[in-house]
């Protein structure tokens, strides 16, 4: 059942926990910018109740859900019959919607990352890229990075076997012969370097601790990018600057970029991420009251 057209469309971010999410603010700003009437809220789901929460949301007229940790893999399974190519290769879904009574899923994380890397001036065509981490965050960005034209992509993880598994899974699923993809442990991060772009897809910065990496990773002019974000430079950004990275950035732009792509999927209108990113950055920098 679809909500009456006279009512604002209902959207939400679903996760556990979800109270910290900035998605309601981002989508409200997009809505104001584009003149679209919507309601966007928080939908906490119990760890064992994700599927039921999704079904209830759409049964009550909901139009779309953003999915955050730890449910992106479950969302992929729920929408498995109607996945975008990006979601199929990522093995994870962060955007859900219904069409003709069927659940559809996409993954916009990689698109958000690539757009933000380009906004920051990174030339991905022919770039040598090091990806730290082998979890869902890393899995979600492999295909868009490959499509952006990277010449070489090296995946490293604390558990080397997980990195090798991710590389082989992606190569098998995509059938890609380019870029050159390799994998190993964190201690093998320098193999094949130095790197033009280093992306931290681990959650190490949440604990204010950088990943255990060897020195000498960065090529001249290199960009170090942390998917995490905060009011101050993350532990990874500080580590990268000390190791010679010319530019360091956090993942706030990726967050806004993936949200903009979700907004486009739902509404057919592409918002401008830049003023929304500026508003969020200002809010982060504002002193706590």
């Amino acid at each position: 059942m679809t909500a009456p057209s006279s009512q604002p469309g209902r959207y939400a971010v679903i996760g556990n926990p979800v109270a910290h999410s900035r998605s309601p603010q981002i989508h409200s700003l997009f809505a104001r910018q584009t003149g679209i009437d919507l309601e966007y809220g928080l939908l906490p789901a119990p760890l064992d109740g994700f599927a039921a929460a999704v079904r209830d949301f759409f049964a009550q007229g909901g139009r779309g859900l953003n999915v955050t940790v730890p449910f992106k893999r479950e969302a992929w399974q729920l929408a498995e019959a109607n996945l975008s190519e990006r979601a199929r290769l990522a093995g994870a879904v962060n955007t859900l919607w219904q069409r003709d009574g069927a659940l559809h899923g996409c993954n916009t994380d990689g698109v958000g990352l690539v757009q933000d890397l380009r906004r920051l001036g990174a030339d991905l065509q022919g770039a040598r890229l090091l990806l730290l981490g082998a979890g869902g965050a890393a899995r979600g960005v492999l295909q868009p990075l490959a499509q952006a034209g990277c010449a070489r992509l090296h995946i490293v993880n604390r558990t080397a076997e997980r990195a090798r598994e991710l590389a082989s899974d992606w190569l098998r699923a995509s059938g890609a012969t380019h870029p050159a993809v390799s994998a190993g442990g964190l201690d093998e991060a320098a193999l094949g370097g130095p790197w033009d772009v280093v992306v931290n897809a681990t959650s190490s910065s949440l604990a204010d601790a950088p990943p255990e990496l060897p020195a000498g990773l960065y090529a001249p002019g290199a960009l170090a990018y942390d998917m995490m974000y905060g009011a101050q430079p993350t532990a990874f950004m500080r580590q990268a600057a000390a190791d010679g990275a010319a530019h360091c950035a956090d993942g706030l732009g990726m967050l806004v970029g993936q949200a903009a792509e979700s907004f486009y999927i739902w509404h057919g209108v592409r918002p401008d991420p830049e003023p929304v990113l500026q508003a969020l950055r200002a809010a982060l920098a504002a002193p706590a009251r």
Side-chain angles (χ1 to χ4, degrees), residues 3 5 7 14 18 21 29 59 66 97 100 114-115 123 146 179 181 185 228 235 238 270 276:
S5 58
Q7 298 295 318
I14 184 169
V18 79
S21 175
L29 289 169
N66 286 127
W97 69 100
D100 300 326
V114 168
Q115 289 175 349
D123 183 2
V181 176
M228 300 295 160
R238 299 194 301 270
R270 197 174 292 282
V276 177

Side-chain angles (χ1 to χ4, degrees), residues 1 9-14 39-43 50-66 96-98 103 266:
M1 178 178 178
R10 285 183 54 237
Y11 301 84
V13 56
I14 184 169
E39 294 177 355
Y40 192 109
L42 300 171
L43 183 57
F50 173 74
V54 169
R55 284 194 295 269
D56 289 348
F57 177 82
F58 286 108
Q60 294 169 19
R63 302 277 187 87
L65 285 171
N66 286 127
L96 290 169
W97 69 100
Q98 273 197 339
L103 196 64
W266 291 333

Side-chain angles (χ1 to χ4, degrees), residues 38-167:
L38 60 79
E39 294 177 355
Y40 192 109
L42 300 171
L43 183 57
L47 293 176
D48 60 352
F50 173 74
V54 169
R55 284 194 295 269
D56 289 348
F57 177 82
F58 286 108
Q60 294 169 19
R63 302 277 187 87
L65 285 171
N66 286 127
V67 184
T68 188
V69 292
F71 297 127
K72 292 184 182 183
R73 179 66 184 175
E74 278 190 73
W76 187 93
Q77 293 167 339
L78 279 183
E80 192 169 3
N82 299 286
L83 294 171
S84 69
E85 184 68 359
R86 293 194 302 235
R88 183 184 71 81
L89 291 172
V93 158
N94 76 337
T95 305
L96 290 169
W97 69 100
Q98 273 197 339
R99 183 184 301 149
D100 300 326
L103 196 64
H104 290 248
C106 187
N107 190 306
T108 67
D109 286 331
V111 173
L113 172 63
V114 168
Q115 289 175 349
D116 202 40
L117 291 173
R118 287 175 170 155
R119 180 186 68 86
L120 293 163
D123 183 2
L124 297 176
Q125 189 66 42
R128 297 160 298 175
L129 192 142
L130 175 65
L131 182 62
L132 311 177
R139 188 177 291 272
V141 301
L142 273 177
Q143 181 68 9
L145 286 171
Q147 289 178 327
C150 294
R152 176 161 166 69
L153 212 164
H154 187 43
I155 306 164
V156 294
N157 189 60
R158 187 164 51 87
T159 305
E161 189 52 42
R162 287 195 67 198
R164 296 188 186 103
E165 183 180 305
L166 172 56

Side-chain angles (χ1 to χ4, degrees), residues 14-39:
I14 184 169
N16 184 334
V18 79
H20 66 286
S21 175
R22 295 183 180 270
S23 291
Q25 180 186 2
I26 294 171
H27 283 270
S28 294
L29 289 169
F30 285 158
R32 191 181 311 164
Q33 182 189 113
T34 57
I36 290 173
D37 193 16
L38 60 79
E39 294 177 355

